[in-house]
Coordinates of all heavy atoms in Angstrom, one line a residue:
S1 N 16.3 147.9 201.3 CA 16.0 149.1 200.5 C 16.0 148.7 199.0 O 16.9 147.9 198.6 CB 17.1 150.2 200.7 OG 18.4 149.8 200.4
L2 N 15.3 149.4 198.3 CA 15.2 149.1 196.9 C 16.0 150.1 196.2 O 15.8 151.4 196.3 CB 13.7 149.1 196.3 CG 13.5 148.9 194.9 CD1 13.8 147.5 194.5 CD2 11.9 149.1 194.6
Q3 N 17.0 149.7 195.3 CA 17.8 150.6 194.6 C 17.1 150.9 193.3 O 16.2 150.3 192.8 CB 19.3 150.0 194.4 CG 19.9 149.5 195.6 CD 20.1 150.5 196.6 OE1 20.6 151.6 196.3 NE2 19.8 150.2 197.9
R4 N 17.8 152.0 192.6 CA 17.1 152.3 191.2 C 17.4 151.3 190.2 O 18.6 150.7 190.2 CB 17.7 153.6 190.8 CG 17.3 154.9 191.6 CD 17.6 156.2 190.8 NE 17.1 157.3 191.6 CZ 15.9 157.8 191.6 NH1 15.0 157.3 190.7 NH2 15.5 158.8 192.2
A5 N 16.5 150.9 189.3 CA 16.7 149.9 188.4 C 17.7 150.5 187.4 O 17.7 151.6 187.0 CB 15.4 149.5 187.7
Y6 N 18.6 149.6 186.9 CA 19.6 150.1 185.8 C 19.6 149.0 184.7 O 19.7 147.8 185.0 CB 21.0 150.1 186.5 CG 21.9 150.8 185.5 CD1 22.0 152.0 185.2 CD2 22.7 149.9 184.9 CE1 23.0 152.6 184.4 CE2 23.7 150.3 183.9 CZ 23.8 151.7 183.6 OH 24.7 152.1 182.8
P7 N 19.5 149.4 183.4 CA 19.3 150.8 183.0 C 17.7 151.1 183.1 O 17.0 150.2 183.3 CB 19.8 150.8 181.7 CG 19.6 149.5 181.1 CD 19.9 148.6 182.4
N8 N 17.4 152.3 183.2 CA 16.0 152.8 183.2 C 16.0 154.1 182.6 O 16.4 155.1 183.2 CB 15.4 152.8 184.5 CG 13.9 153.1 184.6 OD1 13.2 152.8 183.6 ND2 13.4 153.4 185.7
P9 N 15.4 154.4 181.4 CA 14.6 153.4 180.5 C 15.5 152.3 180.0 O 16.7 152.4 180.0 CB 14.1 154.3 179.3 CG 14.4 155.8 179.8 CD 15.5 155.7 180.8
F10 N 14.8 151.1 179.7 CA 15.5 150.0 179.3 C 14.9 149.4 178.1 O 13.8 149.6 177.6 CB 15.6 149.0 180.5 CG 14.3 148.4 180.8 CD1 13.9 147.2 180.4 CD2 13.4 149.2 181.6 CE1 12.7 146.6 180.8 CE2 12.2 148.5 182.0 CZ 11.8 147.3 181.6
N11 N 15.6 148.4 177.4 CA 15.2 147.6 176.2 C 16.0 146.4 176.1 O 17.1 146.5 175.7 CB 15.3 148.6 174.9 CG 14.9 147.7 173.8 OD1 14.1 146.8 173.8 ND2 15.3 148.1 172.6
P12 N 15.6 145.2 176.3 CA 14.3 144.9 177.1 C 14.7 144.3 178.5 O 13.9 143.9 179.3 CB 13.7 143.8 176.2 CG 14.9 143.1 175.8 CD 16.0 144.0 175.5
I13 N 16.0 144.5 178.9 CA 16.4 143.9 180.2 C 16.9 144.9 181.1 O 17.6 146.0 180.7 CB 17.6 142.9 179.9 CG1 17.1 141.7 179.0 CG2 18.2 142.4 181.2 CD1 18.2 140.8 178.6
T14 N 16.5 144.9 182.4 CA 16.9 145.7 183.4 C 17.3 144.9 184.7 O 16.7 143.9 184.9 CB 16.0 147.0 183.7 OG1 16.5 147.9 184.5 CG2 14.6 146.4 184.4
T15 N 18.1 145.5 185.5 CA 18.5 144.9 186.8 C 17.9 145.6 188.0 O 18.1 146.9 188.1 CB 20.1 144.8 186.8 OG1 20.5 144.1 185.7 CG2 20.4 144.1 188.1
I16 N 17.3 144.9 188.8 CA 16.7 145.6 190.1 C 17.5 145.0 191.2 O 17.6 143.8 191.5 CB 15.3 145.1 190.2 CG1 14.4 145.7 189.1 CG2 14.7 145.8 191.6 CD1 13.8 144.7 188.3
S17 N 18.2 146.0 192.0 CA 19.0 145.5 193.1 C 18.3 146.1 194.4 O 17.7 147.0 194.4 CB 20.4 146.3 193.0 OG 21.0 145.8 191.9
F18 N 18.5 145.3 195.4 CA 18.0 145.7 196.8 C 18.9 145.1 197.8 O 19.7 144.1 197.8 CB 16.6 145.3 196.9 CG 16.4 143.7 196.7 CD1 16.3 142.9 197.8 CD2 16.2 143.3 195.4 CE1 16.2 141.4 197.6 CE2 16.1 141.8 195.3 CZ 16.0 141.0 196.3
A19 N 18.8 145.7 199.0 CA 19.5 145.3 200.2 C 18.6 144.9 201.4 O 17.6 145.5 201.6 CB 20.5 146.4 200.8
L20 N 19.0 143.8 202.1 CA 18.1 143.4 203.1 C 19.1 143.3 204.5 O 20.2 142.8 204.5 CB 17.7 141.9 202.9 CG 16.8 141.7 201.7 CD1 16.7 140.3 201.5 CD2 15.5 142.5 201.7
P21 N 18.4 144.0 205.6 CA 19.3 144.1 206.9 C 19.2 142.8 207.6 O 20.1 142.6 208.4 CB 18.6 145.2 207.6 CG 17.2 145.4 207.1 CD 17.2 144.9 205.6
E22 N 18.3 142.0 207.2 CA 18.0 140.7 208.0 C 17.4 139.6 207.1 O 16.9 140.0 206.0 CB 17.2 140.8 209.2 CG 15.8 141.5 208.9 CD 15.1 142.0 210.2 OE1 15.6 142.2 211.1 OE2 13.7 141.8 210.0
D23 N 17.4 138.4 207.4 CA 16.8 137.3 206.8 C 15.2 137.6 206.8 O 14.8 137.9 207.9 CB 16.9 136.0 207.3 CG 18.4 135.6 207.2 OD1 19.3 136.3 206.8 OD2 18.8 134.5 207.6
I24 N 14.6 137.7 205.6 CA 13.1 138.1 205.6 C 12.6 137.6 204.4 O 13.2 137.3 203.2 CB 13.1 139.7 205.8 CG1 11.6 140.1 206.1 CG2 13.5 140.3 204.4 CD1 11.6 141.5 206.6
N25 N 11.1 137.6 204.4 CA 10.4 137.2 203.2 C 10.3 138.4 202.3 O 10.0 139.5 202.8 CB 9.0 136.7 203.6 CG 8.3 136.1 202.3 OD1 8.8 135.1 201.8 ND2 7.2 136.7 202.0
V26 N 10.7 138.2 201.1 CA 10.6 139.4 200.1 C 9.6 139.1 198.9 O 9.7 137.9 198.5 CB 12.1 139.5 199.4 CG1 12.0 140.5 198.4 CG2 13.0 139.9 200.5
L27 N 8.8 140.0 198.6 CA 8.0 139.9 197.4 C 8.3 141.1 196.5 O 8.3 142.1 196.8 CB 6.5 140.1 197.9 CG 5.5 140.1 196.8 CD1 5.4 138.8 196.1 CD2 4.1 140.4 197.4
L28 N 8.6 140.7 195.3 CA 9.0 141.6 194.2 C 8.2 141.4 193.0 O 8.3 140.2 192.3 CB 10.5 141.5 193.8 CG 11.2 142.6 193.1 CD1 11.2 143.9 194.0 CD2 12.6 142.2 192.8
E29 N 7.3 142.3 192.6 CA 6.4 142.2 191.6 C 6.4 143.3 190.6 O 6.7 144.4 191.0 CB 5.0 142.1 192.1 CG 4.7 140.8 193.0 CD 3.4 141.0 193.7 OE1 2.8 142.0 194.1 OE2 2.8 139.8 193.8
V30 N 6.0 143.0 189.4 CA 6.1 144.1 188.3 C 4.6 144.3 187.9 O 3.8 143.3 187.6 CB 6.8 143.6 187.0 CG1 6.8 144.8 186.0 CG2 8.3 143.4 187.4
Y31 N 4.1 145.4 187.9 CA 2.7 145.9 187.6 C 2.8 146.7 186.3 O 3.7 147.5 186.0 CB 2.1 146.7 188.6 CG 2.0 146.0 190.0 CD1 2.9 145.8 190.8 CD2 0.6 145.5 190.3 CE1 2.7 145.2 192.1 CE2 0.5 144.9 191.5 CZ 1.5 144.7 192.3 OH 1.3 144.1 193.6
N32 N 1.7 146.5 185.5 CA 1.5 147.5 184.3 C 0.9 148.7 184.7 O 0.6 148.9 185.9 CB 0.8 146.7 183.2 CG -0.7 146.4 183.6 OD1 -1.2 146.9 184.4 ND2 -1.2 145.6 182.7
I33 N 0.7 149.6 183.8 CA 0.1 150.9 184.1 C -1.4 150.8 184.6 O -1.8 151.8 185.4 CB 0.2 151.9 182.8 CG1 -0.1 153.3 183.1 CG2 -0.8 151.4 181.8 CD1 1.0 154.0 183.9
N34 N -2.0 149.8 184.3 CA -3.4 149.5 184.8 C -3.4 149.0 186.2 O -4.5 148.7 186.7 CB -4.2 148.6 183.9 CG -4.3 149.4 182.6 OD1 -4.5 150.4 182.5 ND2 -4.1 148.4 181.5
G35 N -2.3 148.7 186.7 CA -2.2 148.0 188.2 C -2.3 146.6 188.3 O -2.4 146.1 189.3
R36 N -2.2 145.9 187.1 CA -2.2 144.5 187.1 C -0.9 143.9 187.2 O 0.0 144.3 186.7 CB -2.9 144.0 185.7 CG -4.3 144.4 185.7 CD -5.0 143.6 184.4 NE -6.3 144.1 184.2 CZ -6.6 144.9 183.3 NH1 -5.8 145.4 182.4 NH2 -7.9 145.2 183.2
I37 N -0.8 142.8 188.0 CA 0.5 142.1 188.1 C 0.9 141.4 186.8 O 0.0 140.6 186.4 CB 0.5 141.2 189.3 CG1 0.3 141.9 190.7 CG2 1.7 140.3 189.3 CD1 0.0 140.9 191.9
I38 N 2.0 141.6 186.3 CA 2.4 141.0 185.0 C 3.5 140.0 185.3 O 3.7 139.2 184.4 CB 2.6 142.0 183.9 CG1 3.8 142.9 184.3 CG2 1.5 142.7 183.5 CD1 4.4 143.5 183.1
S39 N 4.2 140.1 186.4 CA 5.3 139.2 186.7 C 5.6 139.3 188.2 O 5.7 140.3 188.7 CB 6.6 139.8 185.9 OG 7.6 138.8 186.0
K40 N 5.9 138.1 188.7 CA 6.3 137.9 190.1 C 7.7 137.5 190.1 O 8.0 136.4 189.6 CB 5.5 137.0 190.8 CG 5.6 136.9 192.3 CD 4.6 136.0 193.0 CE 3.3 136.7 193.1 NZ 2.4 135.9 194.0
L41 N 8.7 138.4 190.4 CA 10.0 138.1 190.2 C 10.6 137.2 191.4 O 11.4 136.4 191.3 CB 10.8 139.4 190.0 CG 10.4 140.2 188.9 CD1 11.2 141.5 188.9 CD2 10.7 139.4 187.5
I42 N 10.2 137.7 192.7 CA 10.6 137.0 193.9 C 9.4 136.8 194.8 O 8.7 137.8 194.9 CB 11.7 137.8 194.6 CG1 12.9 137.9 193.8 CG2 12.1 137.2 195.9 CD1 14.0 138.8 194.3
D43 N 9.3 135.8 195.5 CA 8.3 135.6 196.5 C 8.9 134.5 197.4 O 8.3 133.3 197.4 CB 7.0 135.2 196.0 CG 5.8 135.1 197.0 OD1 6.2 135.5 198.2 OD2 4.7 134.7 196.7
N44 N 10.0 134.8 198.2 CA 10.4 133.8 199.1 C 11.3 134.4 200.2 O 11.5 135.5 200.1 CB 11.1 132.7 198.4 CG 12.3 133.2 197.6 OD1 12.9 134.2 197.9 ND2 12.5 132.4 196.5
N45 N 11.7 133.7 201.1 CA 12.6 134.1 202.2 C 14.0 134.2 201.7 O 14.4 133.3 201.0 CB 12.6 133.1 203.4 CG 13.0 133.6 204.6 OD1 12.9 134.9 204.8 ND2 13.4 133.0 205.5
M46 N 14.6 135.4 202.0 CA 16.0 135.6 201.5 C 16.8 136.0 202.6 O 16.4 136.5 203.7 CB 16.0 136.7 200.4 CG 15.1 136.3 199.2 SD 15.3 137.6 197.9 CE 16.9 137.1 197.3
K47 N 18.2 135.7 202.4 CA 19.2 136.0 203.5 C 19.5 137.5 203.5 O 19.4 138.1 202.5 CB 20.5 135.3 203.2 CG 20.3 133.8 203.2 CD 20.4 133.3 204.6 CE 20.4 131.8 204.6 NZ 20.2 131.3 206.0
A48 N 20.0 138.0 204.5 CA 20.4 139.4 204.7 C 21.6 139.6 203.8 O 22.4 138.7 203.5 CB 20.9 139.7 206.1
G49 N 21.6 140.9 203.2 CA 22.8 141.2 202.2 C 22.1 141.8 201.0 O 21.1 142.4 200.9
Y50 N 23.1 142.0 200.0 CA 22.7 142.7 198.8 C 22.4 141.6 197.7 O 22.9 140.6 197.5 CB 23.9 143.4 198.2 CG 24.3 144.5 199.2 CD1 25.3 144.5 200.2 CD2 23.7 145.8 199.1 CE1 25.6 145.4 201.0 CE2 23.9 146.8 199.9 CZ 24.9 146.7 200.9 OH 25.3 147.8 201.8
H51 N 21.2 141.9 197.0 CA 20.7 141.0 196.0 C 20.3 141.8 194.8 O 20.1 143.0 194.7 CB 19.5 140.3 196.5 CG 19.7 139.5 197.8 ND1 20.1 138.2 197.8 CD2 19.6 139.9 199.1 CE1 20.3 137.8 199.1 NE2 19.9 139.0 199.9
S52 N 20.2 141.0 193.6 CA 19.8 141.7 192.4 C 19.1 140.6 191.6 O 19.3 139.5 191.7 CB 21.0 142.3 191.6 OG 21.9 141.3 191.2
V53 N 18.1 141.2 190.8 CA 17.3 140.3 190.0 C 17.2 141.0 188.6 O 17.2 142.2 188.5 CB 15.9 139.9 190.6 CG1 15.1 141.2 190.7 CG2 15.1 138.9 189.7
I54 N 17.2 140.1 187.5 CA 17.1 140.6 186.1 C 15.7 140.5 185.7 O 15.2 139.4 185.9 CB 18.2 140.0 185.2 CG1 19.6 140.4 185.5 CG2 17.8 140.4 183.8 CD1 20.6 139.7 184.9
W55 N 15.1 141.5 185.1 CA 13.8 141.4 184.5 C 14.0 141.6 182.9 O 14.4 142.5 182.6 CB 12.8 142.5 185.0 CG 11.4 142.3 184.4 CD1 10.7 141.1 184.2 CD2 10.6 143.4 183.9 NE1 9.5 141.4 183.6 CE2 9.4 142.8 183.4 CE3 10.8 144.8 183.9 CZ2 8.4 143.5 182.9 CZ3 9.7 145.5 183.5 CH2 8.5 144.9 182.9
N56 N 13.6 140.5 182.3 CA 13.5 140.5 180.9 C 12.2 140.7 180.4 O 11.3 139.9 180.4 CB 14.1 139.1 180.3 CG 14.2 139.2 178.7 OD1 13.7 140.1 178.0 ND2 15.0 138.3 178.2
A57 N 11.8 142.0 179.9 CA 10.6 142.3 179.4 C 10.4 142.2 177.9 O 9.5 143.0 177.3 CB 10.3 143.8 179.8
E58 N 11.0 141.3 177.3 CA 11.0 141.1 175.9 C 9.6 140.8 175.4 O 9.2 141.2 174.2 CB 11.9 139.9 175.5 CG 12.1 139.8 174.0 CD 13.2 138.7 173.7 OE1 14.2 138.6 174.4 OE2 12.8 137.9 172.7
S59 N 8.8 140.1 176.2 CA 7.4 139.7 175.8 C 6.4 140.8 176.1 O 5.3 140.6 175.8 CB 7.0 138.4 176.3 OG 7.0 138.5 177.8
H60 N 6.8 142.0 176.6 CA 5.9 143.0 177.0 C 6.1 144.3 176.0 O 7.1 144.4 175.3 CB 6.1 143.5 178.4 CG 6.0 142.4 179.3 ND1 4.8 141.9 179.7 CD2 6.8 141.7 180.2 CE1 4.7 141.0 180.6 NE2 6.1 140.7 180.8
S61 N 5.1 145.0 175.9 CA 5.0 146.2 175.0 C 5.8 147.4 175.7 O 5.9 147.4 176.9 CB 3.6 146.5 174.5 OG 2.9 146.9 175.6
S62 N 6.1 148.3 174.9 CA 6.8 149.6 175.4 C 5.8 150.2 176.4 O 4.4 150.2 176.0 CB 7.0 150.6 174.3 OG 8.1 150.0 173.4
G63 N 6.3 151.0 177.3 CA 5.4 151.6 178.3 C 6.0 151.8 179.6 O 7.1 151.5 179.9
V64 N 5.1 152.2 180.6 CA 5.5 152.4 181.9 C 5.1 151.2 182.7 O 3.9 150.7 182.6 CB 4.8 153.7 182.4 CG1 5.1 153.8 183.9 CG2 5.2 155.0 181.7
Y65 N 6.0 150.8 183.6 CA 5.7 149.6 184.4 C 6.1 150.2 185.9 O 6.9 151.0 186.1 CB 6.4 148.4 184.1 CG 6.0 147.9 182.7 CD1 6.5 148.3 181.5 CD2 5.0 146.9 182.6 CE1 6.1 147.9 180.3 CE2 4.4 146.4 181.5 CZ 5.0 147.0 180.2 OH 4.6 146.5 179.1
F66 N 5.7 149.4 186.8 CA 6.1 149.6 188.2 C 6.5 148.4 188.9 O 6.0 147.3 188.7 CB 4.9 150.2 189.1 CG 4.3 151.4 188.5 CD1 3.2 151.6 187.5 CD2 4.8 152.7 188.9 CE1 2.7 152.8 187.1 CE2 4.4 153.9 188.4 CZ 3.4 153.9 187.5
I67 N 7.7 148.5 189.7 CA 8.2 147.4 190.4 C 7.8 147.6 191.9 O 8.1 148.8 192.4 CB 9.7 147.2 190.2 CG1 10.2 146.0 191.0 CG2 10.5 148.4 190.7 CD1 10.4 144.9 190.0
K68 N 7.3 146.7 192.6 CA 6.9 146.9 193.9 C 7.6 145.8 194.8 O 7.7 144.6 194.5 CB 5.4 146.7 194.1 CG 5.0 146.8 195.6 CD 3.4 146.6 195.7 CE 3.0 146.7 197.1 NZ 1.5 146.4 197.3
M69 N 8.3 146.3 195.9 CA 9.0 145.4 196.8 C 8.4 145.6 198.1 O 8.1 146.6 198.7 CB 10.5 145.8 196.9 CG 11.2 145.1 197.9 SD 12.9 145.6 198.0 CE 13.5 144.7 199.4
V70 N 8.1 144.3 198.8 CA 7.6 144.2 200.0 C 8.5 143.2 200.9 O 8.7 142.1 200.4 CB 6.1 143.8 200.1 CG1 5.6 143.6 201.5 CG2 5.2 144.6 199.3
A71 N 9.0 143.8 202.0 CA 9.9 142.9 202.8 C 9.6 143.4 204.3 O 10.0 144.3 204.7 CB 11.4 143.2 202.5
G72 N 8.7 142.4 204.9 CA 8.4 142.8 206.3 C 7.3 144.0 206.1 O 6.4 144.0 205.5
E73 N 7.7 145.0 207.0 CA 7.0 146.2 206.9 C 7.4 147.2 206.0 O 6.9 148.3 205.8 CB 6.9 146.8 208.3 CG 6.2 145.8 209.3 CD 5.9 146.6 210.6 OE1 5.9 147.9 210.7 OE2 5.6 145.8 211.7
Y74 N 8.5 147.0 205.3 CA 9.1 147.9 204.2 C 8.3 147.7 202.9 O 8.2 146.5 202.4 CB 10.6 147.5 204.0 CG 11.1 148.3 202.9 CD1 11.6 149.7 203.1 CD2 11.4 147.8 201.7 CE1 12.2 150.5 202.1 CE2 12.0 148.5 200.7 CZ 12.3 149.8 200.9 OH 13.0 150.5 199.8
T75 N 7.9 148.7 202.3 CA 7.3 148.7 201.0 C 7.8 149.8 200.2 O 7.9 151.0 200.7 CB 5.8 148.8 201.0 OG1 5.3 147.7 201.9 CG2 5.0 148.8 199.7
N76 N 8.2 149.5 198.9 CA 8.6 150.7 198.0 C 8.3 150.3 196.6 O 8.2 149.1 196.2 CB 10.2 150.7 198.1 CG 10.7 151.9 197.6 OD1 10.0 152.7 196.9 ND2 12.0 152.3 197.8
T77 N 8.0 151.4 195.8 CA 7.6 151.2 194.5 C 8.4 152.0 193.6 O 8.8 153.2 194.0 CB 6.0 151.6 194.3 OG1 5.3 150.8 195.2 CG2 5.7 151.4 192.8
Q78 N 8.7 151.5 192.4 CA 9.6 152.3 191.6 C 9.0 152.2 190.0 O 8.5 151.2 189.6 CB 11.1 151.7 191.6 CG 12.0 152.4 190.7 CD 13.3 151.7 190.9 OE1 14.0 151.5 189.9 NE2 13.8 151.3 191.9
K79 N 9.1 153.3 189.3 CA 8.6 153.4 187.9 C 9.7 152.9 187.0 O 10.9 153.4 187.1 CB 8.3 154.8 187.6 CG 7.6 154.9 186.2 CD 6.9 156.2 186.0 CE 7.9 157.4 185.9 NZ 7.4 158.6 185.5
L80 N 9.3 152.1 186.0 CA 10.2 151.5 185.0 C 9.7 152.0 183.7 O 8.4 151.9 183.5 CB 10.3 150.0 185.1 CG 10.9 149.5 186.4 CD1 10.9 148.0 186.3 CD2 12.3 149.9 186.7
I81 N 10.4 152.3 182.8 CA 10.1 152.7 181.4 C 10.8 151.7 180.4 O 12.0 151.8 180.3 CB 10.4 154.1 181.0 CG1 9.7 155.0 182.0 CG2 10.0 154.5 179.6 CD1 10.1 156.5 182.0
L82 N 9.9 150.9 179.6 CA 10.5 150.0 178.7 C 10.2 150.8 177.3 O 9.1 151.2 176.9 CB 9.6 148.8 178.6 CG 9.7 147.8 177.5 CD1 11.2 147.3 177.5 CD2 8.8 146.5 177.7
V83 N 11.3 150.9 176.6 CA 11.4 151.5 175.3 C 11.9 150.6 174.2 O 13.1 150.1 174.4 CB 12.2 152.8 175.4 CG1 12.3 153.4 173.9 CG2 11.8 153.8 176.4
K84 N 11.0 150.2 173.4 CA 11.4 149.2 172.2 C 11.7 149.9 170.9 O 11.0 150.9 170.6 CB 10.5 148.1 172.1 CG 10.4 147.2 173.3 CD 9.7 145.9 173.0 CE 9.7 144.9 174.1 NZ 9.0 143.7 173.8

């Protein structure tokens, strides 16, 4: 499961947390408002349990971004707001 990013809105660092019920391949990507991938945070096999990743958006402009998590058949998307 993908938890809410904290903080959100953020400037320029936010933490994305998620839980995995089993060992599985995880893909965690950040998209801009136009649907383009701007950052791939995770793309590998991960152990079951609780995990978190920090996204530093210092090089990106203020605006709305989306974080997408895919783990097996689970897919979730979350809106992030970067305010500089």
Side-chain angles (χ1 to χ4, degrees):
S1 65
L2 180 63
Q3 309 299 315
R4 293 195 179 273
Y6 182 82
N8 188 21
F10 67 101
N11 176 23
I13 296 172
T14 190
T15 302
I16 298 114
S17 299
F18 57 95
L20 302 173
E22 59 189 27
D23 294 2
I24 197 164
N25 190 60
V26 176
L27 178 62
L28 196 63
E29 298 172 319
V30 181
Y31 293 80
N32 66 14
I33 194 74
N34 297 320
R36 292 191 186 105
I37 297 173
I38 59 163
S39 183
K40 190 175 285 193
L41 302 177
I42 298 173
D43 185 10
N44 57 30
N45 201 22
M46 299 189 76
K47 299 278 186 193
Y50 294 96
H51 304 273
S52 63
V53 63
I54 294 172
W55 180 41
N56 185 341
E58 188 173 317
S59 62
H60 300 287
S61 59
S62 295
V64 176
Y65 294 88
F66 297 92
I67 183 98
K68 179 181 177 184
M69 177 184 172
V70 178
E73 296 193 12
Y74 174 83
T75 301
N76 197 344
T77 305
Q78 186 179 132
K79 181 169 71 170
L80 303 174
I81 301 172
L82 173 58
V83 180
K84 288 190 174 182

